[in-house]
Amino acid sequence: MAKDFDAPRNDGVIDNLEELKARNTSTSSAIDVDEFEAVEGLELPGADLSSEQLAIPVLPPLDDEFVCTACFLVYHRSQFASGSSTLRICRDCDHT
């Protein structure tokens, strides 16, 4: 069957203000969220985590890695800044 693409279309657009108000009031009553249940599992910053166990193993740096003394991230030795011989600083922190 042929379709007329030049004909005006109504893709669910509401032209009537009263119909929009009626549809808005009917959907707003369907959403009933308890504010306390929504934030029940939320942890606040600074919460006491002393009873929590670490879920992943912590490995020490390997022989070809170092810990940057500025940003405290572990890098491969290729990221060691060449100008800093006394401090272990990465290339990213050396440029700042």
Side-chain angles (χ1 to χ4, degrees), residues 11 20 25:
D11 295 331
L20 179 64
T25 57

Side-chain angles (χ1 to χ4, degrees), residues 24-41:
N24 191 19
T25 57
S26 65
T27 58
S28 65
S29 63
I31 301 172
D32 187 23
V33 177
D34 187 14
E35 296 173 1
F36 296 109
E37 289 179 10
V39 296
E40 187 173 317

Side-chain angles (χ1 to χ4, degrees), residues 42-88:
L42 183 66
E43 295 222 8
L44 299 175
D48 182 26
L49 301 176
S50 61
S51 63
E52 296 293 323
Q53 293 287 330
L54 192 59
I56 58 171
V58 177
L59 301 175
L62 299 176
D63 292 336
D64 61 346
E65 296 176 333
F66 71 98
V67 178
C68 177
T69 56
C71 64
F72 303 105
L73 295 176
V74 177
Y75 288 98
H76 187 261
R77 66 175 174 217
S78 64
Q79 295 296 318
F80 189 73
S82 60
S84 62
S85 60
T86 58
L87 296 175
R88 296 185 159 262

